[in-house]
Amino acid sequence: MNRNVWLVGFGLLALIGVVMGITYAMPKTEKFRGTLYEPAQAAPDFSLSRSDGSEYRLNQQRGKVVLLFFGYTSCPDVCPTTLAELRKIDSEVANGTNQVQVVFVTVDPERDTPEKIQKYVSIFNPDFIGLSGSESELSPIWKAYGVYREIDKSTTTATGYLVTHTARLYVIDKDGNLRLSYSYGSATEDIVHDLKILFE
Amino acid sequence: MEKIRFLGITFILTALIAACTPAKSTSLHVKDAWARPGLSEGNSAVYFVIVNPGVGDTLLWASSDEAQAVEMHKTIMEGDAMQMMPQEEVPVPGGVTTFEPGDLHVMLINLNHDLSPGDTFDVTLMFKTAGEMTFTVPVKEP
């Protein structure tokens, strides 16, 4: 009887040891807090002219994490709120390096010239990139990223017209994959948390 | 005599303490105002908190000399889509009404000059009952 008890006890301890060993050896999956695109998919590429006449092409940004947001310069609330948050995120994650690139693409090409949008994002951070183009250049980009955009010219406003648009933040990793996105209002610390994982 | 002196000193001390203690406002007022930086000919937003200790009121309009036009707007999120809706007037029930990012805001349209952090300017609100109210707004980074 005593021998059997010892055998059972030893067997249980061995089993626990094996389970712990397997658990320790297994690759750990980090938990992202944003909306994860799984499996990771190549971010839809695009090319737009910058205000200085040079070309910005997304697939040439390998090695950097790109934070992509769509908005317009006449927007006084959501867009500057997001850009101000991106400034904080960039400061916390990139910490003076150029590993993070914030890109703001217009949904209002009628009013946002490349010069105007670049000047606008520069008040948040001179390293931020503002991009515009013709509607025929921008429309496929909006579509590729699932950006809804509607011009409202029926509402009376001194701005002329308002633009309803998707206010989601897209994260493209250093390999050019669309990895994460965040709805407007997502906690800054969640975005910072996820970006730090991408930099590991 | 001693009793009279004691009462007199007590009265004076009480009056001094009462004079030094800030009075709790019993009328509608605005606090915590701030505005975003903005570029000349661009737009910006002003945010603040309206405290209404009384019965309901209505905010009829806002004005400022900093822009060509001033409007009240509300940001509405429908799923991921952001929409701004001009507000003809804003109900101000008893309690607190907050103008904040992602919600109600006063929109400054076509700024007369750059608004930079550290600048200040005046904004006037007109309430149906409380009347006109002007306050100073600092420009700051959120």
Side-chain angles (χ1 to χ4, degrees), chain A residues 69 78 81-82 85 167-169 182-191, chain B residues 77 79-80 101-102:
Chain A
F69 185 71
V78 165
T81 299
T82 302
E85 286 172 357
R168 201 157 185 88
L169 175 67
Y182 303 87
S183 58
Y184 173 74
S186 294
T188 303
E189 54 264 30
D190 287 351
I191 302 172
Chain B
M77 296 299 299
D80 277 337

Side-chain angles (χ1 to χ4, degrees), chain B residues 65-141:
Chain B
D65 290 337
E66 297 303 295
Q68 296 296 305
V70 180
E71 294 177 356
M72 300 185 293
H73 283 247
K74 185 176 175 69
T75 295
I76 303 219
M77 296 299 299
E78 283 191 16
D80 277 337
M82 181 283 300
Q83 182 181 14
M84 280 203 303
M85 297 191 67
Q87 307 288 297
E88 288 293 323
E89 54 185 43
V90 176
V92 180
V96 171
T97 302
T98 304
F99 281 56
E100 61 184 347
D103 201 330
L104 289 164
H105 54 279
V106 166
M107 188 169 170
L108 303 176
I109 299 166
N110 198 354
L111 292 167
N112 294 325
H113 54 84
D114 289 356
L115 286 183
S116 304
D119 291 347
T120 60
F121 60 93
D122 287 345
V123 166
T124 298
L125 301 180
M126 174 61 90
F127 296 90
K128 191 173 183 180
T129 305
E132 205 170 286
M133 210 163 283
T134 299
F135 50 94
T136 301
V137 178
V139 179
K140 55 183 192 177
E141 305 283 7

Side-chain angles (χ1 to χ4, degrees), chain A residues 74 77 81 157-158 165 167-168, chain B residues 36 43 47 71 75 80 82 102:
Chain A
S74 296
D77 187 39
T81 299
T157 169
H165 64 90
R168 201 157 185 88
Chain B
R36 292 195 180 283
N43 301 334
Y47 306 101
E71 294 177 356
T75 295
D80 277 337
M82 181 283 300

Side-chain angles (χ1 to χ4, degrees), chain A residues 112-179:
Chain A
D112 288 344
T113 63
E115 293 75 25
K116 186 176 180 183
I117 196 167
Q118 182 59 51
K119 189 177 179 186
Y120 178 77
V121 299
S122 295
I123 64 173
F124 296 92
N125 185 315
D127 294 327
F128 284 9
I129 294 173
L131 296 171
S132 183
S134 65
E135 181 146 346
S136 59
E137 289 173 318
L138 289 160
S139 184
I141 303 170
W142 301 330
K143 190 175 175 186
Y145 284 89
V147 172
Y148 173 79
R149 172 250 188 194
E150 181 186 338
I151 301 285
D152 175 10
K153 293 194 173 178
S154 63
T155 302
T156 303
T157 169
T159 67
Y161 59 85
L162 299 165
V163 186
T164 298
H165 64 90
T166 299
R168 201 157 185 88
L169 175 67
Y170 301 89
V171 176
I172 296 130
D173 70 16
K174 293 188 280 185
D175 298 320
N177 294 314
L178 180 59
R179 293 296 301 280

Side-chain angles (χ1 to χ4, degrees), chain A residues 28-41:
Chain A
K28 292 174 182 52
T29 50
E30 297 285 359
K31 220 169 191 180
F32 289 103
R33 297 178 187 172
T35 300
L36 183 65
Y37 294 86
E38 203 151 46
Q41 50 189 277

